[in-house]
Amino acid sequence: MTDKSRKWQFETRAIHSGDVPEDGTHSVTTPIYLSSTYKVAYPGDESGYVYSRWANPTRQALERALATLENGTHAYAFSSGLSALDAVLKLLKAGDHIVAVDDLYGGSMRQFEQVARNFNLEFSYVDGRKPEAFEKAIQENTKLFWLETPTNPLLQLVDIQAVTQIGKKHNILVGVDNTFATPYIQKPLELGADIVLHSASKYLGGHCDVIAGALVTKDAELAERIRFNQYAVGGQLGPFESWLVLRGLKTLSLRMERHAINAQQIAEYLETVDIVKKVYFPGIDGNTVPNKMRLPGGMVSFSINADFETVKKFVMSTELFVLAESLGGVESLVNHPASMTHASIPKEVREERGIDDGLVRLSVGIEHIDDLLIDLRNAFTAIRTMVKTS
Ligand SMILES: *Cc1c(COP(=O)(O)O)cnc(C)c1O
């Protein structure tokens, strides 16, 4: 995938690297090519497009943009973040062992534990804040380290560079789910990772209107295996969804700047609320940034010193923060991990990791900060009497 746009800055590339070659229409935006198949010049001609499971011009435009934004060379767009994760596991064989961070996206954990284990893959989970824990967990059959940073929902930070150094020493692939940070904030491939995964349903799409995923790498051999597996298995992203993500990418840098400014102010406000036990946010409370994040991101979690009924009332009392799963859109969302995104994790395991009934996760949107703060203040007021009497 050659890319002459690489000389430009991130913001410029986000807007232009998904342009497609002139097709005679002088269209300024990338067209949505719906064709499933393409006319060939002679039997066996594979010089151009052949069939859209193999390659589609709109999907390729998105893949080109994602590869350049992550400073990779190859990207593959999938029908969801979890289908991209499935494609990562398909690089392995039955009997292989994976070491993953324990504070993992609930759906990733579900795929590992309830699907991949049936295919005889083995998993261990370690505290991602301690790179040496990865080394200690290595077995003879360990083939992959799987990281998320910041983690979900506790927003712990993993030192990507330290873990990739251990991976290289032991010939173990390192994959990073970069959904929360986005390439605007951190570029794992530059820190030594082999594969980056995205749920493009979140910040890359950015408007809560598409389900999409992607894998990015700069290793040509790995890229070829991913490409072949995607062709042989499926899970490609459709042309319309590809176009939606391409459109989202154009404003990624602006959105991430505002998400981070708003989230910082909300985290600082939450620290002053007496019934808030703990605030989880990159960059505060000794949660340092060892992994070269340029901004703290737009996610804030916090724990309310109250029972389930009270916390339930809180998350149902906001007007702007919509009670919903997912994250990364322009609109603010509030989530109760224990009963929503992380409900599939056994209660004991969840609580041991700090995901108790009091935990609330915010995806801070790009609305006016004053409105967001008023909204949260009102929700705290709504539960104040319940906290005093409980
Ligand atoms: C949402 C999410 C996924 C899964 O992506 P889908 O697009 O919903 O399949 C994976 N990892 C993280 C961190 C996520 O937030």
Side-chain angles (χ1 to χ4, degrees):
M1 214 180 276
T2 57
D3 182 9
K4 63 180 186 338
S5 74
R6 205 163 286 258
K7 63 177 187 274
W8 290 316
Q9 300 292 325
F10 185 97
E11 291 80 349
T12 312
R13 285 189 268 156
I15 292 168
H16 291 290
S17 51
D19 292 347
V20 294
E22 174 54 43
D23 66 352
T25 63
H26 306 293
S27 168
V28 169
T29 60
T30 300
I32 303 174
Y33 290 96
L34 290 171
S35 196
S36 62
T37 191
Y38 304 83
K39 184 177 172 183
V40 295
Y42 50 86
D45 174 19
E46 290 186 349
S47 61
Y49 293 100
V50 175
Y51 184 59
S52 278
R53 173 156 40 73
W54 177 262
N56 169 281
T58 314
R59 187 171 84 237
Q60 274 190 334
L62 170 63
E63 292 172 341
R64 208 161 42 237
L66 290 171
T68 169
L69 294 182
E70 283 285 2
N71 284 352
T73 51
H74 298 75
Y76 299 94
F78 286 85
S79 56
S80 70
L82 286 183
S83 72
L85 183 63
D86 179 61
V88 172
L89 296 182
K90 290 215 162 71
L91 296 168
L92 307 177
K93 288 197 175 67
D96 287 350
H97 173 243
I98 295 105
V99 182
V101 296
D102 57 10
D103 190 31
L104 205 59
Y105 171 68
S108 301
M109 179 81 87
R110 182 171 50 222
Q111 183 178 124
F112 288 173
E113 291 300 309
Q114 297 182 42
V115 180
R117 271 196 195 275
N118 296 334
F119 292 86
N120 210 18
L121 289 173
E122 295 171 29
F123 297 87
S124 302
Y125 301 94
V126 298
D127 184 338
R129 291 166 297 184
K130 303 181 185 124
E132 65 279 9
F134 284 87
E135 191 147 37
K136 280 202 199 100
I138 293 174
Q139 305 175 6
E140 218 172 287
N141 55 345
T142 305
K143 293 286 156 59
L144 174 70
F145 287 161
W146 191 250
L147 318 184
E148 262 181 44
T149 180
T151 63
N152 176 16
L154 299 177
L155 306 169
Q156 296 166 352
L157 302 177
V158 181
D159 186 339
I160 296 175
Q161 216 158 11
V163 178
T164 58
Q165 275 160 11
I166 297 166
K168 289 212 168 26
K169 194 165 96 189
H170 297 274
N171 210 9
I172 294 167
L173 282 180
V174 178
V176 177
D177 182 334
N178 203 25
T179 299
F180 272 39
T182 82
Y184 184 66
I185 290 181
Q186 81 188 352
K187 295 185 182 63
L189 298 178
E190 289 189 342
L191 301 170
D194 300 290
I195 307 170
V196 165
L197 177 142
H198 277 286
S199 168
S201 323
K202 315 296 168 52
Y203 287 108
L204 301 188
H207 297 74
C208 292
D209 56 10
V210 64
I211 297 290
L215 296 179
V216 191
T217 183
K218 57 178 182 181
D219 177 324
E221 188 261 338
L222 211 49
E224 178 52 27
R225 286 167 63 203
I226 295 169
R227 188 195 61 83
F228 176 80
N229 284 354
Q230 191 188 46
Y231 176 62
V233 176
Q236 291 79 359
L237 190 63
F240 179 57
E241 286 77 8
S242 298
W243 183 86
L244 280 172
V245 178
L246 261 176
R247 183 166 72 166
L249 286 181
K250 291 174 199 263
T251 54
L252 179 66
S253 59
L254 286 177
R255 286 186 285 110
M256 293 319 292
E257 291 286 347
R258 176 64 80 85
H259 281 300
I261 291 171
N262 282 357
Q264 178 84 41
Q265 292 203 50
I266 284 175
E268 284 167 13
Y269 158 68
L270 290 169
E271 293 235 291
T272 68
V273 178
D274 55 352
I275 56 173
V276 168
K277 219 167 28 181
K278 189 164 166 53
V279 179
Y280 302 89
F281 184 63
I284 61 164
D285 195 20
N287 194 2
T288 55
V289 186
N291 54 353
K292 308 191 170 74
M293 286 169 69
R294 78 192 260 183
L295 291 170
M299 301 298 295
V300 182
S301 294
F302 61 99
S303 179
I304 304 179
N305 210 353
D307 59 16
F308 179 58
E309 281 310 307
T310 310
V311 177
K312 193 167 139 194
K313 169 111 194 231
F314 178 86
V315 298
M316 292 171 71
S317 297
T318 50
E319 193 182 339
L320 281 173
F321 282 89
V322 178
L323 180 61
E325 306 226 357
S326 198
L327 60 111
V330 291
E331 49 283 280
S332 291
L333 303 179
V334 58
N335 167 57
H336 183 246
S339 62
M340 295 169 70
T341 46
H342 291 67
S344 61
I345 301 173
K347 190 175 164 69
E348 321 79 67
V349 180
R350 221 174 43 219
E351 293 192 340
E352 204 182 281
R353 294 187 190 147
I355 308 169
D356 57 22
D357 282 349
L359 191 73
V360 174
R361 189 189 78 182
L362 302 178
S363 172
V364 180
I366 63 171
E367 298 94 337
H368 197 289
I369 184 62
D370 293 352
D371 296 330
L372 295 180
L373 288 170
I374 289 168
D375 199 32
L376 291 176
R377 249 182 231 121
N378 289 344
F380 279 118
T381 304
I383 62 164
R384 198 154 286 279
T385 53
M386 293 172 78
V387 176
K388 283 207 176 104
T389 54
S390 65

